[in-house]
Amino acid sequence: MELHDVWFVLIAVLWTGYFFLEGFDFGVGILTRLLARDRAEKRVLINTIGPVWDGNEVWLLTAGGATFAAFPEWYATLFSGFYLPLLFILVCLIVRGVAFEYRAKRPEENWQRNWETAIFWTSLIPAFLWGVAFGNIVRGVKIDAEFEYVGDVWDLLNPYALLGGLVTLTLFTFHGTVFTALKTVGEIRERARRLALRVGLVTAVSASAFLIWTQADHGDGASLVALAVAVASLVAALLANRAGREGWSFTLSGVTIVAAVAMLFLTLFPNVMPSTLDADWSLTVTNASSSPYTLKIMTWLAVIATPVVLLYQGWTYWVFRKRIGTQHIADPVH
């Protein structure tokens, strides 16, 4: 296996980790409007992800940086062609971080309510747009002989990509709902389990349609296996949630995300951005990659740094592993 193939796999792993981790905290952000009934319950939801949401975003920064360094042509075409949706995502992530930090800085109800509204929308919009972006990457976009994107933003809003956006939105919401059931106690935990069943059924329908469409257009034997794993694990997650096994339900919803993202990258390889104008103009792992020497240096850096990052993030989740409820929410002090 060549180094550019290795880095394609590593970038796929980074995006998978990002969607697994950021997926549930996007889902929790959406639940601040769908599940929480009062201010105390919103604080419970926010506190479940408070210690970890910023660490989850490290996976996005690493995936973007790795793409820039390992496949600069891919990075350039992707960020120029998808400029507007990626800008929306970036703005949402900035506002979302500010909202988490500023929400409790003042006691006025309007101040806190406005930041809670910001958390909801800046969780929902990226959860949808990431699916639209990856749907277009897999489907292919208008790339010319110079490897330049020559379409416009309306070309990105095609039925396949919009269905992909619906899938990531519902799947992340389901992932966040089972995470909430895992991390809370009391009435909010029971309501989360009931909501997870309803959201999970919608997710199962949309995800099955999208993955089957993907398999029909781009799939092979390996992607078919990934599809089967994704669908089976989602059904198993619903059954585990119904049985009150929150740990298993969350694990299986995570497996669903991992298998679904793996399927997308399996159908994409060896392309990184297919061209719908001419297959010969597609960006591939070969023509979009950096030099072998650059990839070699990156590989050594990744071997050294990755275990440290994983150990630190794992330790963070271990420290904040216990459940919380409204009884654990102290009165605000200003």
Side-chain angles (χ1 to χ4, degrees):
M1 180 181 287
E2 300 290 336
L3 277 179
H4 51 66
D5 297 330
V6 172
W7 274 98
F8 179 86
V9 174
L10 291 177
I11 288 171
V13 170
L14 290 170
W15 280 110
T16 302
Y18 173 67
F19 288 141
F20 180 97
L21 296 171
E22 189 87 304
F24 72 73
D25 73 48
F26 279 151
V28 172
I30 294 169
L31 292 180
T32 58
R33 181 69 64 88
L34 302 182
L35 184 65
R37 291 179 176 175
D38 54 33
R39 182 58 41 75
E41 290 189 350
K42 289 183 179 181
R43 290 178 64 189
V44 168
L45 291 174
I46 292 171
N47 285 356
T48 62
I49 59 174
V52 298
W53 68 267
D54 48 356
N56 295 343
E57 290 188 355
V58 170
W59 289 78
L60 172 61
L61 298 175
T62 309
T67 304
F68 172 77
F71 298 100
E73 195 72 53
W74 182 14
Y75 183 93
T77 304
L78 175 65
F79 278 79
S80 60
F82 293 19
Y83 179 81
L84 192 58
L86 293 179
L87 177 63
F88 281 155
I89 291 173
L90 178 61
V91 171
C92 284
L93 294 180
I94 293 171
V95 174
R96 188 169 182 261
V98 173
F100 281 128
E101 298 297 333
Y102 275 42
R103 176 191 167 276
K105 297 300 183 183
R106 291 172 55 178
E108 292 88 351
E109 184 174 345
N110 285 341
W111 171 272
Q112 296 190 4
R113 183 186 299 114
N114 288 339
W115 286 119
E116 288 162 0
T117 301
I119 290 172
F120 170 76
W121 286 109
T122 56
S123 298
L124 185 148
I125 293 171
F128 176 76
L129 289 180
W130 279 127
V132 174
F134 270 83
N136 278 293
I137 290 173
V138 172
R139 173 181 175 269
V141 291
K142 294 179 179 178
I143 300 175
D144 65 12
E146 303 298 322
F147 301 136
E148 299 287 342
Y149 178 73
V150 293
D152 56 38
V153 68
W154 303 110
D155 293 324
L156 304 179
L157 302 179
N158 54 81
Y160 176 80
L162 292 174
L163 179 58
L166 177 62
V167 170
T168 51
L169 176 59
T170 55
L171 182 55
F172 291 170
T173 304
F174 174 69
H175 197 40
T177 308
V178 295
F179 177 79
T180 299
L182 176 65
K183 286 288 293 179
T184 58
V185 295
E187 184 183 353
I188 192 170
R189 174 189 176 191
E190 297 302 321
R191 293 205 313 274
R193 285 177 52 196
R194 292 194 296 270
L195 180 61
L197 178 60
R198 297 194 295 271
V199 175
L201 291 174
V202 176
T203 303
V205 173
S206 61
S208 297
F210 178 74
L211 295 179
I212 291 171
W213 190 347
T214 303
Q215 178 66 26
D217 285 351
H218 311 285
D220 56 15
S223 62
L224 181 61
V225 172
L227 186 156
V229 172
V231 173
S233 57
L234 180 56
V235 172
L238 284 167
L239 294 175
N241 174 74
R242 184 180 178 85
R245 303 296 297 273
E246 292 98 344
W248 277 108
S249 183
F250 176 72
T251 301
L252 289 164
S253 71
V255 172
T256 302
I257 293 175
V258 171
V261 176
M263 180 185 176
L264 296 183
F265 277 93
L266 284 168
T267 58
L268 189 60
F269 185 82
N271 294 320
V272 293
M273 283 190 75
S275 172
T276 57
L277 300 179
D278 190 321
D280 291 335
W281 298 344
S282 297
L283 289 170
T284 68
V285 294
T286 303
N287 63 26
S289 70
S290 294
S291 68
Y293 181 74
T294 300
L295 297 178
K296 183 177 180 179
I297 296 298
M298 289 175 59
T299 302
W300 280 110
L301 291 174
V303 168
I304 295 170
T306 302
V308 177
V309 174
L310 292 176
L311 286 171
Y312 175 75
Q313 191 162 26
W315 175 79
T316 303
Y317 276 93
W318 175 256
V319 170
F320 296 101
R321 66 189 182 278
K322 293 186 178 179
R323 297 176 183 263
I324 63 172
T326 53
Q327 67 271 29
H328 301 117
I329 301 298
D331 293 332
V333 177
H334 295 275

